[in-house]
Amino acid sequence: MRAVRSPAALFALAALSACGGEVRETDWRLRFDSASLRVRSVVIETRILAGGCDGDRSVYEGAILPGLAAPIPPRLGEGRHGFVARARDASCRFFAEGCAEVTLPTSEPIEVLLRAREGEARCDDVACVDGLCAGVDFGEGLPPPTPRPIAPPAGAIVAEPPRLRWLGVPGALRYEWALVACVGPLAACPLEGAESWEATLADARPEALAEGRYAWRVRACDAERCSAWSPPRLFALRARGDLDGDGRAELAVGAPERGDREGAVYQHAGASPLPGVAPAERGAPVAEPGARFGLAIEAADLDGDGAPERYVGAPFEDGATIDEGAVWLFGPGEARRLESGAPAAAATFGAALARCDVDGDGLDDLIVGASQRDEGRGEVEVLYGDPDLAFERRRVLQASERRPDARFGATLACVDLDADGASEVVVGAPGDAGPGALSAGAVYVFGPGAVPLVWTSPDREADGRFGAALARAGDVDGDGGQEIFVGAPGERAGDGRGYLFTGRPGELPDTPRAVPSPGAGEAFGAAVAVGDVNGDGAPDLVIGAPAGADGRAYVFLGSEDPAAFELRPGRILDGEGGGFGTALGLLDFDGDGRADLAAGTPDTGGVRLYRGAATGLAPLPDAVWGAPELSDPGRYGAAIAPRQ
């Protein structure tokens, strides 16, 4: 491999023509066997060999810095290929390598795992400068590499025109980006021939956009030519939780034990000032005692028309068998019952819900937990979005080691941790025993690989319930990576603990930062909500601690400056009992540009609302709602949406 001209270059690539039929552009990922190898790496050299790992003809060469995604190679020929990666340290010594053999074309993701291997320092007759062999060329006449979009995350909902960001590439003198309004799947968005704009840095901020769904893409250009366009990304511009298009979010509150545990959901329309108008009640079209309709609530735009549907879980609803569970879809003029693709007794399908774009097609997908299925081993179903809402395409997710009472699927979240344009599905199993610790808990991350990544708590405490709460935390610390919060309310003898996992382009995280409980015996981490409460542009965390005498919620303010972010609460909200901190939701309820907190007190049937402010959340509630049916609170406040 020829080295780069400048040791400051982030990466460069060269491609040779491939014989045979051409296949689509191939996306591939690099992952280290351990965190220590990743830290040691300075430069990663990549090659694609025709014929496999032992092939002698290179059809692609490139080099990247760790933390960046693997460059998108040109179109490759059909047949067997070896995807090779070797890592150098600061002395230019090869110390890790890996190769994946793949027959193209393939619809499966390609991942190269780098394992430790000591080699010789080698730069031939040129100097080694910070891991790069200086003074050599990667090839003439090539355009810059294709940039990779990183923000906003795929499928994000934003309240104002977002800052578009991508990974800068060497050799680029300017960037061109295009953005269009889009209805339906991403493939139908009219990006071909769309007007484009120029940027000199690796970001841009569109202005004067109306509410709606937008697709965008970017390419890099030098003085003579431009790269291929990046894969497109989609975001929705609307108030988070706004289902009726009035510019204000609607707050949905579940009362799953109302009546004879039939359950109900109350939808409160956004208003300024708080508290808003009387809620609209919604129950299952066919009320069933014991169904617990309203135990899980989500809004998602699975048909891509720009108007989200409401989805409500009734996990103990009977079908052909007892307690198999169901999810109810509420759209314009319709209410429809959705059941599992393989209904089973006591499965509790609908116990947890989440939305995200798993396959990167621009349509929301619905993630449904069935945590009691198969003696509590649990299961999750992905219902893929489509314009007809037919739900003919589904995928079943299971733990790699299925244990009774693990409750896999009790909690769910979605986040694009590796910035590839498709969300990872994150599944909590808070009852998972694991080795030597009953109910220590575990979290499973389903990404592009066939086998999920498994996270466990560093402490592995019995009854720690790691994974009892999950939330996509955005870029809470301003370091450029997407974070996810994992709650473990039983750890440290019931004090509770939280963990933040940070993703990076091209790789999934495996080592968290701990968020210790500020109090004692409070079950810190039992619930979490994410939103921008002070309007500074950075997401903030509100973490519930319901086990104390009155319950508490701790507010951790995010920052766009990594140096300014602190893992300590900027505000402590004290409840007045009733299970305060069990369920939390953040949304801009009053339309002032800051997220407001809705904190449930389901033991007494209530919700307390705290207004967002420039200094964070107000210390006292602006409104306290009791259950609409005072004689039958039904655990009103046990579920709140949106949470993030």
Side-chain angles (χ1 to χ4, degrees):
M1 174 172 286
R2 297 170 292 174
V4 296
R5 288 176 176 155
S6 168
L10 292 183
F11 73 85
L13 64 88
L16 305 179
S17 60
C19 61
E22 286 189 339
V23 299
R24 63 176 177 81
E25 289 184 345
T26 304
D27 198 4
W28 56 309
R29 305 160 185 268
L30 310 178
R31 184 165 65 87
F32 285 93
D33 190 39
S34 69
S36 61
L37 292 179
R38 185 175 65 246
V39 171
R40 182 179 170 188
S41 175
V42 173
V43 174
I44 305 171
E45 296 186 359
T46 58
R47 306 177 72 193
I48 300 177
L49 302 176
C53 292
D54 296 327
D56 58 4
R57 185 169 63 86
S58 175
V59 295
Y60 166 88
E61 296 183 355
I64 60 172
L65 294 182
L68 299 181
I72 300 174
R75 295 179 180 272
L76 301 171
E78 295 179 353
R80 197 72 173 166
H81 289 75
F83 289 74
V84 182
R86 298 194 299 177
R88 291 184 188 264
D89 60 18
S91 68
C92 294
R93 182 185 302 274
F94 289 115
F95 69 92
E97 67 177 1
C99 181
E101 283 201 348
V102 179
T103 299
L104 299 178
T106 178
S107 60
E108 295 298 318
I110 301 169
E111 181 177 274
V112 178
L113 179 63
L114 283 82
R115 293 186 171 90
R117 171 195 175 277
E118 290 300 330
E120 295 298 324
R122 183 176 59 83
C123 275
D124 298 328
D125 297 327
V126 297
C128 174
V129 182
D130 294 331
L132 289 166
C133 299
V136 188
D137 183 9
F138 266 102
E140 301 291 345
L142 296 174
T146 301
R148 188 177 293 255
I150 56 174
I157 300 172
V158 295
E160 59 183 30
R163 178 185 171 201
L164 309 179
R165 296 173 53 226
W166 52 89
L167 292 174
V169 298
L173 300 179
R174 60 185 174 87
Y175 298 93
E176 294 182 358
W177 58 278
L179 181 145
V180 296
C182 178
V183 176
L186 195 53
C189 298
L191 279 166
E192 293 300 326
E195 182 180 3
S196 62
W197 294 266
E198 288 191 3
T200 55
L201 301 177
D203 65 3
R205 189 183 292 276
E207 298 179 357
L209 296 180
E211 286 198 353
R213 299 169 77 245
Y214 292 90
W216 69 282
R217 62 182 183 176
V218 63
R219 65 181 179 180
C221 303
D222 59 20
E224 298 178 0
R225 58 190 65 81
C226 295
S227 70
W229 285 102
S230 69
R233 287 286 185 92
L234 187 140
F235 65 87
L237 179 61
R238 57 180 167 83
R240 194 161 49 96
D242 180 13
L243 273 66
D244 58 8
D246 66 353
R248 289 190 179 133
E250 285 79 51
L251 177 68
V253 181
E257 296 189 9
R258 182 173 173 237
D260 191 11
R261 295 188 175 181
E262 293 101 340
V265 170
Y266 297 90
Q267 186 159 299
H268 299 260
S272 181
L274 299 176
V277 298
E281 180 184 350
R282 174 171 282 162
V286 180
E288 177 186 304
R292 298 185 188 177
F293 174 90
L295 198 59
I297 311 169
E298 188 57 272
D301 185 9
L302 269 73
D303 58 2
D305 66 353
E309 309 86 45
R310 176 72 76 194
Y311 294 86
V312 180
F316 293 91
E317 186 172 302
D318 296 341
T321 58
I322 295 174
D323 293 346
E324 66 182 41
V327 175
W328 285 90
L329 180 163
F330 297 91
E334 77 162 330
R336 195 183 345 156
R337 184 180 186 272
L338 308 176
E339 62 181 28
S340 168
T348 64
F349 179 79
L353 300 172
R355 61 155 283 273
C356 60
D357 183 5
V358 176
D359 54 1
D361 67 351
L363 299 178
D364 283 347
D365 306 310
L366 186 68
I367 319 302
V368 183
S371 56
Q372 296 298 330
R373 188 183 182 100
D374 192 13
E375 298 182 333
R377 289 174 174 85
E379 190 173 274
V380 168
E381 285 189 42
V382 180
L383 280 61
Y384 290 99
D386 74 83
D388 298 324
L389 294 178
F391 304 110
E392 295 177 350
R393 195 163 62 97
R394 301 190 182 203
R395 177 187 176 192
V396 174
L397 307 178
Q398 295 181 338
S400 45
E401 294 187 35
R402 305 188 70 214
R403 301 182 179 91
D405 299 319
R407 297 178 58 227
F408 174 90
T411 55
L412 300 168
C414 290
V415 59
D416 185 7
L417 286 166
D418 54 3
D420 68 345
S423 294
E424 283 74 47
V425 179
V426 185
V427 181
D432 198 308
L438 186 65
S439 294
V443 171
Y444 294 79
V445 182
F446 291 84
V451 178
L453 175 65
V454 183
W455 292 339
T456 56
S457 168
D459 291 346
R460 295 295 296 168
E461 292 184 31
D463 298 318
R465 293 186 290 135
F466 178 85
L470 295 173
R472 180 184 66 250
D475 184 10
V476 69
D477 58 1
D479 68 348
Q482 291 291 305
E483 275 89 31
I484 189 161
F485 176 87
V486 179
E491 288 191 358
R492 302 299 169 102
D495 293 350
R497 199 170 178 88
Y499 297 91
L500 274 176
F501 290 82
T502 300
R504 291 286 182 268
E507 63 179 276
L508 298 176
D510 53 13
T511 304
R513 286 174 290 173
V515 187
S517 172
E522 296 180 339
F524 174 83
V528 60
V530 182
D532 184 6
V533 301
N534 57 0
D536 67 351
D540 309 305
L541 300 177
V542 181
I543 301 174
D550 296 321
R552 280 181 170 172
Y554 294 91
V555 183
F556 293 78
L557 297 177
S559 174
E560 293 186 329
D561 179 4
F565 177 69
E566 295 181 319
L567 282 175
R568 61 181 182 182
R571 174 81 71 190
I572 300 175
L573 304 177
D574 290 306
E576 295 182 359
F580 178 85
T582 300
L584 303 170
L586 278 172
L587 71 167
D588 185 8
F589 196 64
D590 57 4
D592 68 350
R594 301 185 182 101
D596 309 301
L597 173 69
T601 55
D603 295 350
T604 53
V607 172
R608 298 162 70 90
L609 283 98
Y610 297 79
R611 187 189 299 272
T615 56
L617 291 169
L620 298 174
D622 284 79
V624 178
W625 294 340
E629 300 290 336
L630 295 178
S631 62
D632 183 14
R635 288 191 62 77
Y636 169 82
I640 296 175
R643 295 187 303 114
Q644 52 189 359

